[in-house]
Amino acid sequence: QMTLVESGGGLVQAGGSLRLTCAASGRTFGSYAMGWFRQAPGKERAFVASVNWNGGSKYYADSVKGRFTISRDNAKNTVYLQMNSLKPEDTAIYYCAADRFGSRSQSALAYDYWGQGTQVTVSS
């Protein structure tokens, strides 16, 4: 029903910026809530941000508020994560996910489709 592919990860210095892109293929992208999660080495997968179907409602983890911005372009079947003021603790594999029920949930269990992830490494 839907395929998600992340891109834009890489190596960046602390304090720098990076924009992640998630390209979706599917017939009903515009009706899904979308989320970003991350998983650091030895850690559980953690919520980062989510956005509802039209971009009008967003949630952020406390650890990224004021630094990260989630957005979407339904005409392009794409969701973005703009990451500013990056810290070494932001280092993780970042995953995008789609929730067909539009909950914008902070729980990974709510999401129906997942990308393969893109690595973000922030150096000191």
Side-chain angles (χ1 to χ4, degrees), residues 82-123:
Q82 178 66 47
M83 305 185 293
N84 298 326
S85 301
L86 283 162
K87 305 174 181 179
E89 50 264 45
D90 295 318
T91 295
I93 300 174
Y94 283 71
Y95 300 89
C96 66
D99 174 9
R100 63 189 174 97
F101 293 108
S103 68
R104 297 160 292 150
S105 178
Q106 296 178 249
S107 172
L109 297 175
Y111 292 83
D112 303 287
Y113 303 98
W114 292 84
Q116 293 184 334
T118 186
Q119 177 70 50
V120 172
T121 302
V122 184
S123 63

Side-chain angles (χ1 to χ4, degrees), residues 4 7 10 13 17 20 23-25 29-30 35 40 47 49 59 65 78 89 95 106 108-109 116 120:
L4 305 174
S7 63
Q13 293 182 335
S17 297
L20 305 184
S25 61
F29 173 81
F47 172 79
Y59 293 147
K65 286 181 180 177
T78 303
E89 50 264 45
Y95 300 89
Q106 296 178 249
L109 297 175
Q116 293 184 334
V120 172

Side-chain angles (χ1 to χ4, degrees), residues 24-103:
S25 61
R27 291 172 289 180
T28 56
F29 173 81
S31 67
Y32 284 64
M34 301 294 296
W36 286 96
F37 290 76
R38 65 188 182 186
Q39 188 165 19
K43 305 293 185 180
E44 298 294 321
R45 189 168 298 189
F47 172 79
V48 176
S50 63
V51 60
N52 76 333
W53 69 275
N54 67 357
S57 182
K58 302 173 182 179
Y59 293 147
Y60 295 97
D62 288 343
S63 59
V64 306
K65 286 181 180 177
R67 300 190 297 121
F68 290 10
T69 303
I70 188 171
S71 61
R72 68 190 298 162
D73 186 341
N74 288 349
K76 297 180 179 179
N77 281 12
T78 303
V79 62
Y80 306 95
L81 185 68
Q82 178 66 47
M83 305 185 293
N84 298 326
S85 301
L86 283 162
K87 305 174 181 179
E89 50 264 45
D90 295 318
T91 295
I93 300 174
Y94 283 71
Y95 300 89
C96 66
D99 174 9
R100 63 189 174 97
F101 293 108
S103 68

